Amino acid sequence: MSKKPTYTLCVHAGAGVITKENLSDSEKKLITEDIHASLSAGEEILSSGGSAVDAVCAAVVCLEDSKHFNAGQGAVYSRSGQHLLEASIMDGATLKAGALANTRRIKNPIEFAKTLLKRDDIVMISGEHADQLADELGHELVDNKYFDTVFRENQWILAKKLSGTATFLDHSNLKMGTVGAVALDAQGNLAAATSTGGMTNKLDGRIGDTAIIGCGTYAHNNTCAVSCTGIGEYFIRATVASLVSNLMEYDGLSLEEATKKAIHDHQGKLGGEGGLIAIDHLGNISMPYNSEGMYRGSINESTDERKVFIWEEDEKF
Ligand code: ASP
């Protein structure tokens, strides 16, 4: 009898100031249901022998299409009151990647990132040129208002009030909500994907870690796949996603040691806040964070486990 294929999948839907006091039961229910739906979307692909790249893309599309997260519909507002979206994806088997920043009109930025990943002539594109190329390649474009939600508009108003014209870096009481996924498929290939609207009240044109391969997203079959969330400036300065891979490959650290070092010793000591999800080439999972909470979930087919968490691992949803 042939061995059953095994796969592993993790998703996140952002880190930040998510305390038990500032998250209502109804919000908690909607968010955890969406995380379960995202896990199911990715699992559908992995369980039928599909690729890690397709699985992470499907899991992220599901969260981009929900209004509850800061990616696709529900993205935050920039300084001028627009939604300027970012996404990136990487294939650990080929080290090919696709990334985009400051798109205003692409309905599902992660799908366009996957289109870029398949090309040899480009990795990253930004702004109007990204919208234009996505249109030419048949991706659905929407009006920027499609991404509007009252929840994020109120966050933007609050952010402006609290921080004037400064980027709202301390984001107290703001649940962030960038989304991402990492997967190991039955062929042993790893992939990572991340999508966001960035930081509330960000300067127009600012680019965060989510759009940058090696900072918010990284995958390498020799080591691991990583998707990050948190204050992007610190994740860029600590090159968090590729750091995890490098600590494993060159320093011989385990996935858990490498992820904790990257989050707590590197970006954390710079003053950053956030977390990451990661899977290694053996299917081990690690999801450390140094914020109050992080929306996240995982499926491990070999142990038949599905978990969704917001805070510590003793409280599952
Ligand atoms: N990392 C994202 C950024 O800085 C924000 C987030 O993860 O919530 O754009």
Side-chain angles (χ1 to χ4, degrees):
M1 221 170 69
S2 64
K3 197 180 165 290
K4 250 180 30 167
T6 58
Y7 53 82
T8 313
L9 172 70
C10 297
V11 303
H12 72 77
V17 187
I18 312 165
T19 62
K20 293 184 182 171
E21 296 71 49
N22 72 14
L23 191 69
S24 68
D25 285 346
S26 57
E27 277 180 303
K28 205 176 348 185
K29 185 168 178 292
L30 291 171
I31 284 161
T32 54
E33 278 172 5
D34 281 348
I35 295 175
H36 276 293
S38 165
L39 286 170
S40 299
E43 182 169 39
E44 202 179 315
I45 290 169
L46 293 170
S47 62
S48 54
S51 73
V53 168
D54 287 342
V56 291
C57 184
V60 167
V61 164
C62 184
L63 298 171
E64 284 180 343
D65 286 344
S66 162
K67 288 188 178 166
H68 304 127
F69 308 107
N70 173 19
Q73 233 183 344
V76 299
Y77 290 74
S78 71
R79 191 76 50 93
S80 70
Q82 302 184 69
H83 308 283
L84 299 167
L85 311 182
E86 300 183 354
S88 63
I89 187 165
M90 185 160 183
D91 179 356
T94 59
L95 302 189
K96 291 182 80 174
L100 54 137
N102 287 312
T103 161
R104 298 179 63 252
R105 301 200 51 212
I106 304 170
K107 180 170 177 275
N108 288 108
I110 201 64
E111 286 189 332
F112 181 52
K114 192 173 94 171
T115 297
L116 296 177
L117 174 148
K118 293 188 179 143
R119 294 171 66 119
D120 290 321
D121 58 345
I122 188 164
V123 169
M124 190 172 184
I125 192 166
S126 69
E128 275 173 30
H129 294 288
D131 291 338
Q132 209 178 323
L133 184 63
D135 191 26
E136 279 165 29
L137 297 175
H139 286 274
E140 188 178 349
L141 296 195
V142 290
D143 191 275
N144 197 247
K145 287 197 177 326
Y146 163 82
F147 303 108
D148 282 356
T149 54
V150 174
F151 175 66
R152 294 293 175 195
E153 193 178 353
N154 287 338
Q155 272 193 340
W156 180 50
I157 291 166
L158 176 68
K160 282 194 294 183
K161 203 160 89 192
L162 293 177
S163 62
T165 55
T167 300
F168 196 55
L169 277 182
D170 83 346
H171 61 85
S172 24
N173 203 26
L174 293 187
K175 303 167 192 109
M176 299 204 271
T178 289
V179 307
V182 289
L184 173 69
D185 66 27
Q187 291 73 43
N189 293 320
L190 287 161
T194 318
S195 181
T196 192
M199 299 291 292
T200 299
N201 203 32
K202 67 183 180 182
L203 278 169
D204 291 54
R206 174 259 191 192
I207 297 175
D209 61 315
T210 305
I212 305 176
I213 295 298
C215 297
T217 304
Y218 194 73
H220 194 316
N221 271 9
N222 287 355
T223 54
C224 61
V226 181
S227 170
C228 302
T229 174
I231 305 170
E233 281 64 22
Y234 297 96
F235 282 75
I236 295 171
R237 289 163 59 200
T239 56
V240 171
S242 58
L243 175 65
V244 174
S245 173
N246 291 338
L247 288 171
M248 291 177 74
E249 186 159 12
Y250 303 114
D251 285 2
L253 267 55
S254 69
L255 181 78
E256 184 154 349
E257 289 165 344
T259 54
K260 287 189 171 157
K261 205 174 178 66
I263 286 298
H264 299 292
D265 291 359
H266 288 260
Q267 75 87 37
K269 284 193 181 153
L270 287 176
E273 195 182 319
L276 61 79
I277 54 170
I279 296 178
D280 72 10
H281 60 294
L282 302 171
N284 295 307
I285 293 171
S286 181
M287 305 194 275
Y289 56 93
N290 72 338
S291 47
E292 295 273 355
M294 180 167 77
Y295 301 130
R296 63 205 189 278
S298 63
I299 287 178
N300 187 336
E301 197 254 358
S302 60
T303 55
D304 213 14
E305 273 181 325
R306 173 193 272 252
K307 303 177 193 167
V308 171
F309 299 107
I310 302 176
W311 300 285
E312 286 316 309
E313 304 240 337
D314 54 359
E315 195 172 354
K316 284 191 235 165
F317 296 94

